[in-house]
Amino acid sequence: MEERQRAVEGVVSVADKAFWRARRVFVTGCSGILGSWLTLALLDAGADVVGLIRDYVPQSNLSLTGAIQRITRVDGDIADGELLKRVLNEYEIEIVFHLAAQPLVRLANRAPVGTFETNIRGTWLLLEACRVSPTVKRIVVASSDKAYGDQDVLPYTEEAPLQGRHPYDVSKSCADLLTQAYATTYNLPAAITRCGNIYGGGDLNWDRIVPGTMRSVLFGERPVIRSDGTPLRDYLYVDDIVAGYLRLAECLDDPALYGQAFNFGMDDPRTALDVARLIIAISDHPELEPVVLNQASHEIGRQYLSSEKAHRVLGWRAQYSLDEGLRRTLAWYRAFFQRANDV
């Protein structure tokens, strides 16, 4: 299964293997879409990876690729501060990627306290554990374009204020500001990523436009769009995001980057309806028409990023077009559902 997964998605090969070889790296949220591909890239680069996993999901990309068998697995919750301190000290962690979060806007609206507990409290507990650790030297914290909230000026640059107003957006604004506070006050070697909508194989949150639409078209069904189809977003292929995370961590030997945030996007925003129709066009059922429910609430209408700072400072730039990324992703889901049918 591992070879088939790699054939349809591919693990990024941009990491500086000399830098990552034998580095002790802690990845929170390693079983999610981004965490799983980041973990695979780190393993391939020779890193010694410790991964925090709250719930074991046998269908996760981390499990299907076999990566879960290649890491030191820690079962626990990001909101357990004593556990985080133990992991950092016991495994003498040098580099931390903090990805653990409750990632769904609709769930955050329905049950905000759990989102705040994970996304805000979990972040300050991890930052505090890093602050008192004698070994941690580099920290990359995942924020989001949602941290900006609704803005009049687009695209968002890193200088825009963080003004989330709804539960998920607020949780990301807070986590972002906490990271800046620790970097500024304690000289913590932490930097922040603010990414557009990440897509790629391994995302099992079917409420999201890309995996939900792909599941529908592979089953020959009309895909459902919860919004009115007009929300405008950046859509960025997961391999490009992984490359950005690795590059940022590699650059954190420069204290001038402590506390800084970097946008990662395509600089080519698309509507939800556009993305659904692109997926339909590359599927085996190009005759399908989306069902537009127009039921989404508390979501920002237009939200996209300028990645100029990441281009200039990090030398990062997206390598995959939306068409190529979607084709690779559709191949992953085709193999995923075929495997389910073969079992």
Side-chain angles (χ1 to χ4, degrees):
M1 181 61 185
E2 183 173 355
E3 290 306 312
R4 181 165 70 172
Q5 296 289 65
R6 288 168 183 258
V8 299
E9 176 117 8
V11 178
V12 293
S13 58
V14 297
D16 180 348
K17 292 192 175 184
F19 173 86
W20 292 103
R21 189 174 300 117
R23 293 269 190 175
R24 294 190 171 182
V25 182
F26 183 42
V27 181
T28 74
C30 64
S31 59
I33 172 179
L34 175 56
S36 65
W37 292 113
L38 177 62
T39 297
L40 277 164
L42 289 166
L43 290 170
D44 286 354
D48 182 1
V49 180
V50 178
L52 181 67
I53 299 174
R54 189 187 67 176
D55 299 321
Y56 171 66
V57 180
Q59 290 184 310
S60 72
N61 189 50
L62 193 74
S63 299
L64 293 177
T65 58
I68 196 169
Q69 304 300 326
R70 300 168 59 195
I71 66 172
T72 299
R73 170 179 160 180
V74 176
D75 295 315
D77 196 296
I78 189 64
D80 185 342
E82 293 306 310
L83 174 67
L84 297 174
K85 290 177 183 177
R86 179 185 72 78
V87 169
L88 296 183
N89 286 303
E90 213 168 271
Y91 294 104
E92 298 183 318
I93 298 297
E94 300 172 66
I95 302 173
V96 175
F97 290 98
H98 176 40
L99 310 179
Q102 190 299 101
L104 301 178
V105 172
R106 190 159 65 158
L107 177 56
N109 290 337
R110 186 170 68 243
V113 173
T115 299
F116 296 153
E117 182 78 7
T118 297
N119 297 5
I120 303 175
R121 185 167 184 263
T123 298
W124 88 55
L125 289 172
L126 179 65
L127 292 168
E128 179 63 14
C130 290
R131 183 182 73 83
V132 299
S133 166
T135 60
V136 171
K137 305 300 181 189
R138 302 166 195 247
I139 308 150
V140 177
V141 175
S143 182
S144 168
D145 58 352
K146 307 300 183 292
Y148 290 114
D150 204 351
Q151 304 270 346
D152 293 329
V153 178
L154 292 167
Y156 300 165
T157 67
E158 288 83 355
E159 289 72 36
L162 304 183
Q163 54 185 36
R165 291 294 180 267
H166 303 298
Y168 180 77
D169 306 349
V170 166
S171 77
K172 285 301 183 179
S173 298
C174 289
D176 199 311
L177 289 167
L178 283 166
T179 306
Q180 294 180 50
Y182 267 81
T184 302
T185 306
Y186 306 110
N187 203 36
L188 199 69
I192 302 150
T193 64
R194 298 173 186 160
C195 300
N197 286 17
I198 302 169
Y199 72 92
D203 188 352
L204 304 182
N205 292 308
W206 307 114
D207 272 356
R208 289 177 173 156
I209 185 70
V210 172
T213 300
M214 289 192 171
R215 182 175 67 167
S216 294
V217 299
L218 287 168
F219 292 170
E221 300 170 353
R222 296 175 66 189
V224 174
I225 298 175
R226 292 185 299 105
S227 69
D228 64 359
T230 64
L232 198 61
R233 299 284 189 271
D234 276 304
Y235 290 88
L236 193 62
Y237 185 52
V238 66
D239 276 14
D240 281 325
I241 294 288
V242 169
Y245 272 73
L246 294 173
R247 179 61 181 155
L248 180 54
E250 290 165 6
C251 290
L252 273 176
D253 55 346
D254 182 357
L257 298 187
Y258 295 1
Q260 289 203 36
F262 291 86
N263 291 339
F264 294 96
M266 283 291 289
D267 302 293
D268 181 23
R270 305 293 183 94
T271 69
L273 192 56
D274 286 340
V275 172
R277 285 176 171 159
L278 283 169
I279 295 169
I280 292 169
I282 63 173
S283 76
D284 296 331
H285 298 280
E287 75 285 354
L288 294 173
E289 280 293 326
V291 178
V292 179
L293 297 180
N294 193 17
Q295 293 177 349
S297 60
H298 304 312
E299 292 193 21
I300 296 166
R302 300 171 72 247
Q303 192 167 47
Y304 52 93
L305 301 165
S306 166
S307 304
E308 188 276 333
K309 182 180 178 182
H311 300 166
R312 171 172 45 84
V313 177
L314 305 178
W316 174 91
R317 190 176 297 272
Q319 300 300 307
Y320 293 92
S321 67
L322 183 58
D323 180 78
E324 184 177 1
L326 289 175
R327 288 180 185 277
R328 286 172 170 259
T329 304
L330 186 61
W332 190 97
Y333 285 106
R334 184 176 284 112
F336 175 82
F337 288 117
Q338 182 61 51
R339 178 184 181 275
N341 290 333
D342 290 345
V343 172

